[in-house]
Amino acid sequence: MTGSSLRLRLIVGGMAAILLALTVAGGGLVHLFKRHVARTIADDLNLHLSQILAALDVNRDGTLVLTRKPGDPRFEVPLSGLYWQVGDDRGQLLRSRSLWDATLPIAADAIAPGEEHRHVLQGPGSAEVLAAERSVVLTLGDRKMMVRVAVAASLAGVSKAAAAFTRDLAVALAILGAVLTGATILQVSLGLRPLDRLRRGVADIRAGRIMTLPMAVPSEVQPLVEEMNALLDSQEREIERSRGRAADLAHGLKTPLAALSADARRLREQGESQIAADIEGVVAAMGRHVDRELARARVRGVGGRSSSRSTPLAPLLASLIATLGRTPEGARVHFDTTVASDFAVPMDRTDLAEVLGNLLENAARHATARVLVSAAADEGGGRLRITVEDDGAGIAPEVRGWVMERGVRLDERERGAGLGLAIVQDVLDAYGWGLSLETSPALGGLRATVEGGRTPKSGAALAGVSSA
């Protein structure tokens, strides 16, 4: 996946949202946990306040006393983190043993009897404590005493508990984040699956396996599929019109060319042999170009889609060789074919006949006595190769390289193979196939190799040798 990948963007966006949500949720949970612990401590302080107030009394001499000590043993342990303190308006002060030699710095604010205040103070050892205080009025004879009771608990436990909770929460949130990330990746993959099917559908159209995209898609993708199918249909109609116009133009030229050929024959009969020969040369050249354009018009825009059609190779070769055998060049040549009987080529029969017919004709024209045709496929039904070899003089390597150069018109070559190879190249280009020219290791002449596509019948291999 690259930076421009929609899948990557969605996954990264989802992960960022998950990270942000988990961070906010984690901070909120830690804050709520601290509040919960603080509330629990405050409830405990209220309980201790109630116990101390219930045990508070005044002697006859006005001395403050506790009739019974609070039940929590931490009040008896120095600097235990839990403290109580009682003072009155005459300066009397009672303290828990846990305060040792310290006192709680209670703020000098006014508290109405029965009212409770809470403060965060600096307790013994500069530790932060939460203090709850309440005031009561005690009566000694006709005198009333204002007594202030405070209970405090260290907040260090809150911080430790929050730290432990945060560690546990971080592990839980990390696991949750991993699960949510996996769910996000799965969701994005499932959500983008229709686009992947659309991509494969377009690839199938290019390969010729289907003509239009299937309409069984989600409603969000259906308008795109409809537009693409409409575009394909429009393109197909335009290609058909272009092919029709090209064919009409080519056929329209054949009648004037036939008339020129007739005029050339009449001139030859009248003794104007040189003029007749010039006209016949021009007519032949124009005829070849018309034939080439007809071949181009037939395969233009059709090669990819026609690859869904397969043509048995052996019967077609037999028919082409039989036809060539009736020509002067073919009659003097022996054709050997090494092709499996079930070997099929993913190409329209007419186009494959155009390719093989020109290659066989060129081979027969330049062969001394023998032409060899073979076909093979890579293991597992991979790329196909069809070779046509002859025992003629071949093509010099330096000329062969120039012929196969991109942008060079093959019909400008000498030795009579130009137009045939040009038509072959045009047809193969339409199918995405290739043509290579080499020296035949078996016969010493030219070996033309057609390569591309995949065999429709997996496992089709070389069979026995048949001769024609």
Side-chain angles (χ1 to χ4, degrees), residues 123-441:
S126 299
E128 205 173 53
V129 297
L130 175 64
E133 56 176 329
R134 193 181 300 171
S135 65
V136 295
V137 177
L138 299 179
T139 303
L140 180 61
D142 59 352
R143 183 178 177 278
K144 293 183 177 181
M145 298 171 56
M146 181 66 71
V147 180
R148 198 163 186 168
V149 182
V151 180
S154 174
L155 294 177
V158 177
S159 300
K160 291 180 180 178
F165 177 77
T166 301
R167 288 192 296 270
D168 294 340
L169 181 64
V171 174
L173 290 181
I175 296 174
L176 178 60
V179 172
L180 292 177
T181 298
T184 298
I185 295 174
L186 179 61
Q187 181 181 15
V188 170
S189 299
L190 292 177
L192 294 181
R193 185 169 293 178
L195 295 182
D196 188 56
R197 288 199 298 267
L198 184 62
R199 177 192 60 79
R200 292 197 301 267
V202 173
D204 288 340
I205 290 175
R206 290 186 58 191
R209 289 185 284 270
I210 58 176
M211 299 297 290
T212 58
L213 294 173
M215 295 300 297
V217 294
S219 57
E220 292 81 3
V221 184
Q222 189 170 1
L224 176 61
V225 173
E226 292 175 352
E227 290 297 327
M228 291 188 67
N229 284 337
L231 177 62
L232 290 171
D233 185 60
S234 174
Q235 184 184 38
E236 182 68 22
R237 289 196 301 269
E238 184 61 32
I239 290 174
E240 289 297 329
R241 285 193 293 268
S242 299
R243 292 172 60 203
R245 287 193 295 267
D248 291 342
L249 178 61
H251 284 297
L253 291 173
K254 283 188 173 292
T255 299
L257 290 177
L260 285 176
S261 296
D263 291 341
R265 286 195 299 272
R266 285 195 294 271
L267 287 173
R268 188 180 299 278
E269 292 171 357
Q270 294 173 7
E272 301 290 344
S273 300
Q274 184 59 44
I275 297 176
D278 292 342
I279 293 175
E280 287 171 348
V282 172
V283 169
M286 292 183 66
R288 289 195 298 270
H289 284 291
V290 168
D291 291 339
R292 181 180 183 184
E293 290 307 317
L294 282 173
R296 280 180 168 178
R298 187 180 64 253
V299 301
R300 187 177 292 122
V302 180
R305 297 194 175 192
S306 295
S307 62
S308 59
R309 311 169 189 170
S310 61
T311 301
L313 183 58
L316 178 62
L317 279 176
S319 174
L320 293 173
I321 292 172
T323 301
L324 281 174
R326 293 193 290 269
T327 65
E329 293 86 358
R332 61 181 179 81
V333 175
H334 180 74
F335 291 92
D336 288 338
T337 60
T338 309
V339 179
S341 59
D342 61 346
F343 194 97
V345 180
M347 188 180 293
D348 182 79
R349 177 181 174 84
T350 304
D351 296 333
L352 184 59
E354 191 79 57
V355 170
L356 296 179
N358 279 285
L359 292 178
L360 290 171
E361 183 180 356
N362 285 330
R365 182 183 302 117
H366 299 287
T368 301
R370 187 182 176 201
V371 173
L372 174 62
V373 184
S374 61
D378 292 341
E379 292 185 7
R383 293 180 66 82
L384 304 174
R385 284 181 300 278
I386 305 173
T387 59
V388 178
E389 306 174 64
D390 63 69
D391 60 353
I395 300 177
E398 60 273 12
V399 179
R400 191 186 309 152
W402 173 82
V403 164
M404 300 307 297
E405 233 176 43
R406 182 178 177 86
V408 174
R409 289 179 55 195
L410 298 179
D411 55 345
E412 293 178 352
R413 282 197 65 258
E414 297 178 358
R415 304 178 63 85
L419 184 62
L421 292 181
I423 294 177
V424 169
Q425 190 69 59
D426 289 339
V427 176
L428 293 178
D429 284 344
Y431 282 85
W433 288 38
L435 172 67
S436 61
L437 304 178
E438 303 167 305
T439 300
S440 171

